[in-house]
Amino acid sequence: MEYRFQRRIRLAPGVRLISTRLRPGLSVGPPGIELVVGRGEGEGQPVNLEITASGEIRYRHGDGTRMSAAEARALRRDAEEELRDALQAHCERLNASLDRLGRLHEQTPCPDAIGYEPRSYPEPPPIPVILERPSWWQGVWGPARQRLQEENARRQAEHAEAYRAWEWRKAEFDAQEFQRQQREEEATWEDPDAMQQTLTERLEEIDWPRETLIDFELVDDCRTIALDIELPGEQELPDRHWSMPAKRIKLTPHRLTATRQRQLYQAYLHGVAFRVLGAVFARLPRTELVLLSGYRPVADSSDGDASPSYLFSVKVTREQWERLDFDRLEALDPGEAMKAFTLRRDITRTGDFRVIEPFAPDWRWR
């Protein structure tokens, strides 16, 4: 597939619910990913719960072998409360994840939020050693006192080594933070590479449903940026929400209506556009004009190669962007808000996107 621009940002898919620790012995993932439940005292016995697309539970031992019907009944009897708590939390997280897809625009940064935001080193220093004081008999018996002194010296040496290693790691972090500060406060005004790195870091904050490519070009002395975003197809977004039955240990899927699915897809695509526009205007202070186009790769049936089918293309100036009320984004419809800009988009009455011709990336459109 041919791309219009030279620079590229490759964004990894967002991690949702995988390896989320709820309690000792429990981690949850999306449907089809294992639930690992600990039961009993201490570490407990690992049990794998496989959640099917229909919400039914398949019980397996820790080594992956299928449980017998009798073993599954015993597990449900002995660990019913733990299983229900795990599935209920899992259900709520799945629904929250679905809800977030339709509200991405609410996290759009204000264009005034320009500049470096400091981050503290997240790792705390090693806990200081509390030396053991000699008892009365160690004080009068030389060999025992000697062994205690050697043990205290060993512990002090280990702590000193651990503290030096922590200081090195913190110094490396601080050096990287200083470089980031220099980049975001100074280099983003004129250095295209610094602008790309800063933009990548901000775009990585978005929950992308799969690996996403963003190609872009800086023109007009870095005052104009043109971006192409690779978008998922409607079928790649979640198509159901979940509930927990009152009397059964399972999840119940509720498939979204076709209308609701199209609404979610529209909200997600417009939300992505808003987040990308927000990242550009908040983190690239020199940029005055953004040309943003979104496309979906469509495979050619003849040779299998993919070609871009553009769904929207919009031109936004910084002055237009700053007119939005960023204090009330929850009340804003991003699809409607985009009509205030120079927009190419064709949506049918049923909510489907028609393919459009994107704006040409020509600096003269300033």
Side-chain angles (χ1 to χ4, degrees):
M1 185 166 66
E2 295 184 0
Y3 301 99
R4 300 197 296 169
F5 308 132
Q6 298 299 315
R7 292 180 176 271
R8 168 166 295 180
I9 297 173
R10 186 180 299 271
L11 299 164
V15 177
R16 280 192 288 274
L17 308 183
I18 299 175
S19 299
T20 300
R21 186 65 59 179
L22 297 181
R23 62 173 65 177
L26 179 84
S27 62
V28 301
I33 301 247
E34 290 183 339
L35 287 160
V36 182
V37 178
R39 64 177 180 177
E41 299 296 331
E43 293 296 325
Q45 177 184 349
V47 177
N48 295 336
L49 303 182
E50 181 183 343
I51 304 178
T52 68
S54 63
E56 298 292 337
I57 309 298
R58 294 173 182 167
Y59 299 89
R60 298 182 182 274
H61 294 288
D63 60 3
T65 58
R66 189 78 174 266
M67 283 189 182
S68 66
E71 289 173 326
R73 284 195 299 271
L75 176 64
R76 288 193 296 267
R77 182 188 64 242
D78 298 338
E80 178 180 1
E81 183 178 356
E82 185 178 5
L83 293 175
R84 291 192 63 83
D85 287 347
L87 291 175
Q88 182 63 46
H90 180 62
C91 177
E92 292 172 358
R93 290 176 182 271
L94 287 174
N95 291 334
S97 177
L98 179 69
D99 185 54
R100 280 199 305 274
L101 290 178
R103 297 188 292 107
L104 280 182
H105 71 284
E106 294 182 13
Q107 304 302 317
T108 302
C110 175
D112 295 335
I114 294 176
Y116 168 72
E117 295 180 357
R119 295 181 299 196
S120 301
Y121 185 52
E123 180 187 353
I127 299 175
V129 174
I130 300 178
L131 300 180
E132 185 177 348
R133 302 184 65 179
S135 61
W136 66 268
W137 63 272
Q138 289 172 322
V140 298
W141 188 26
R145 184 173 63 253
Q146 179 66 25
R147 285 195 297 271
L148 178 62
Q149 291 173 346
E150 291 174 353
E151 175 63 18
N152 283 338
R154 182 190 65 79
R155 294 173 61 202
Q156 283 182 310
E158 287 181 351
H159 177 268
E161 182 178 355
Y163 195 87
R164 283 194 297 271
W166 176 84
E167 286 184 318
W168 276 109
R169 293 192 297 272
K170 184 177 183 302
E172 183 177 358
F173 175 87
D174 291 341
Q176 293 175 351
E177 277 296 289
F178 179 74
Q179 293 176 358
R180 188 170 72 89
Q181 180 180 8
Q182 295 294 105
R183 183 180 74 244
E184 295 196 6
E185 290 185 345
E186 299 178 12
T188 51
W189 285 91
E190 55 187 19
D191 185 348
D193 291 332
M195 297 172 78
Q196 176 172 346
Q197 187 172 352
T198 299
L199 188 60
T200 300
E201 291 175 354
R202 295 299 168 260
L203 294 177
E204 285 175 345
E205 299 171 356
I206 302 175
D207 260 349
W208 302 97
R210 60 173 172 80
E211 183 179 76
T212 301
L213 300 179
I214 297 183
D215 300 299
F216 72 97
E217 198 71 53
L218 292 158
V219 295
D220 198 16
D221 196 20
C222 295
R223 291 195 296 271
T224 297
I225 183 171
L227 307 99
D228 275 1
I229 311 175
E230 183 187 59
L231 300 168
E234 184 176 320
Q235 71 281 0
E236 295 181 66
L237 294 187
D239 63 352
R240 64 198 67 189
H241 63 92
W242 301 82
S243 64
M244 179 79 180
K247 297 183 179 180
R248 294 190 61 190
I249 301 178
K250 70 181 293 289
L251 296 182
T252 302
H254 304 275
R255 189 174 294 276
L256 302 178
T257 65
T259 299
R260 179 68 185 97
Q261 185 74 13
R262 285 191 292 268
Q263 290 173 344
L264 176 65
Y265 187 59
Q266 286 188 32
Y268 177 77
L269 263 55
H270 295 136
V272 165
F274 255 66
R275 289 291 296 274
V276 173
L277 288 167
V280 170
F281 283 121
R283 294 304 173 194
L284 305 185
R286 190 180 183 88
T287 301
E288 294 294 333
L289 178 65
V290 179
L291 185 154
L292 177 65
S293 302
Y295 69 90
R296 185 176 58 219
V298 178
D300 190 331
S301 57
S302 60
D303 57 11
D305 193 19
S307 59
S309 293
Y310 285 87
L311 305 182
F312 66 82
S313 190
V314 62
K315 300 178 185 179
V316 187
T317 66
R318 181 176 290 275
E319 181 181 0
Q320 290 174 320
W321 188 249
E322 290 176 346
R323 292 175 191 160
L324 297 176
D325 187 355
F326 288 89
D327 292 329
R328 300 182 66 249
L329 287 176
E330 69 283 353
L332 181 142
D333 181 340
E336 287 295 316
M338 288 180 68
K339 294 179 180 179
F341 314 132
T342 305
L343 174 67
R344 286 183 183 173
R345 182 188 64 190
D346 188 0
I347 301 179
T348 67
R349 290 184 177 180
T350 58
D352 294 315
F353 284 84
R354 289 195 181 104
V355 177
I356 57 100
E357 184 70 25
F359 290 114
D362 188 340
W363 64 268
R364 287 171 297 182
W365 36 262
R366 276 184 61 80

